Amino acid sequence: EAAARKVYAIELLERPAQQAKALIKSLGLTNKIIVIHGRSQEIELPEKVDVCVSENVGHIGGAEGCDILLNDARRFMKPDGVFIPHRCVTRVAAIQMPDEFLRNPTFAELGAYHAEQSWRSAGYKYDLRLCVTGTSREMLRSTADAFEDIDFTQTAASSYERDVRMKITHSSRIDGLLLWLNLEAGPGETLETLGRNDTWLPVYLPVFYPGIDVSEGDEIIATVRGALAENGLNRDYRIDGRIRRMDGAE
């Protein structure tokens, strides 16, 4: 932003938009940074832009509708415009969670509030995608595959289906699947979120609860489907699969 001639910042919520405008005014940057309040799909910019930086990437890449929003944002761009990040790959692998976590899983206070609000709004309780802290590569029990792969340099499809395969690397127990992001800002510039707590948190899916014993060489074979939710923006996911044992049993 320091080197940009002009920055257009789009903010959906009114209060943050007003706060941002006040801060920009106090810094004397109103001629350089223009905050626009509204939905990005419903606004126009006064000129075409060179770079589009998106913060709508979710803990699972497309969960918050980043690809849908950026498909629409192409109308803002110059022909040689650049998207940052330009690619987002959500990786998936089997994980063994600590016994204490499984015995006493708890929400943080804010997470508990949002879960209750979501359940109340839906009218029933449903399985949640759980963002977890403290995960590390040492907890993985399989190779990783791509759960979702979004190339922002291309127009993204509204839904997708892909096959994934994960080979068990440790004879152990697996409790679920862990999903984490690899964000490519540009060639050779990749941010991986596994093992970090200062960026997007990995997502834990407890699909093997209460845990399954596996042997090195076993393989998880699955199909992942991503489709738009009823609001036409967020994405819902479904994963169906099986474990193929070394002896051929499934």
Side-chain angles (χ1 to χ4, degrees):
E1 290 184 1
R5 179 176 62 83
K6 187 168 289 186
V7 175
Y8 295 101
I10 302 171
E11 173 54 53
L12 173 62
L13 301 178
E14 182 174 4
R15 184 177 179 185
Q18 294 303 323
Q19 291 173 330
K21 288 180 180 180
L23 177 59
I24 290 166
K25 183 177 180 180
S26 71
L27 296 173
L29 296 174
T30 53
N31 291 330
K32 188 171 184 179
I33 304 176
I34 294 89
V35 177
I36 301 173
H37 170 229
R39 295 182 180 277
S40 64
Q41 306 98 309
E42 299 172 356
I43 68 169
E44 297 292 338
L45 297 182
E47 59 183 320
K48 298 293 185 180
V49 300
D50 299 288
V51 179
C52 177
V53 180
S54 175
E55 64 173 7
N56 292 106
V57 176
H59 294 278
I60 301 175
E64 304 301 325
C66 63
D67 48 347
I68 304 303
L69 292 173
L70 292 185
N71 280 348
D72 177 74
R74 293 180 189 282
R75 61 194 173 89
F76 300 144
M77 305 293 289
K78 293 179 180 179
D80 58 349
V82 175
F83 286 94
I84 300 176
H86 79 259
R87 186 180 181 195
C88 174
V89 181
T90 304
R91 306 286 288 173
V92 59
I95 188 171
Q96 181 177 356
M97 300 298 287
D99 292 338
E100 174 58 29
F101 174 90
L102 298 175
R103 284 195 300 267
N104 186 34
T106 57
F107 283 115
E109 183 178 353
L110 184 59
Y113 171 79
H114 283 297
E116 290 294 340
Q117 293 299 310
S118 297
W119 287 330
R120 185 175 294 113
S121 176
Y124 60 92
K125 289 190 174 183
Y126 54 86
D127 291 337
L128 297 167
R129 299 191 289 260
L130 303 176
C131 296
V132 292
T133 60
T135 52
S136 66
R137 194 171 299 277
E138 288 70 29
M139 298 165 66
L140 301 182
R141 295 295 179 262
S142 76
T143 58
D145 204 345
F147 183 92
E148 182 182 71
D149 189 344
I150 304 173
D151 181 354
F152 296 125
T153 67
Q154 307 292 325
T155 300
S158 59
S159 62
Y160 73 90
E161 179 177 312
R162 64 186 302 125
D163 295 327
V164 296
R165 303 175 78 96
M166 295 160 276
K167 181 160 287 190
I168 301 299
T169 55
H170 299 71
S171 295
S172 60
R173 182 192 74 226
I174 54 175
D175 301 305
L177 300 175
L178 191 74
L179 282 64
W180 69 95
L181 298 182
N182 283 261
L183 291 169
E184 296 182 12
E189 299 180 23
T190 300
L191 168 67
E192 184 176 38
T193 64
L194 181 59
R196 302 180 59 151
N197 291 325
D198 58 342
T199 56
W200 294 265
L201 292 175
V203 172
Y204 172 57
L205 305 178
V207 294
F208 300 118
Y209 182 83
I212 296 177
D213 291 329
V214 291
S215 300
E216 182 179 351
D218 291 348
E219 192 171 26
I220 301 170
I221 302 171
T223 299
V224 177
R225 297 176 179 88
L228 291 184
E230 292 181 359
N231 64 8
L233 180 62
N234 299 101
R235 178 164 283 131
D236 290 330
Y237 300 93
R238 179 184 178 92
I239 183 166
D240 299 287
R242 63 193 187 278
I243 296 177
R244 177 181 292 168
R245 305 289 182 174
M246 283 287 289
D247 60 8
E250 297 187 1

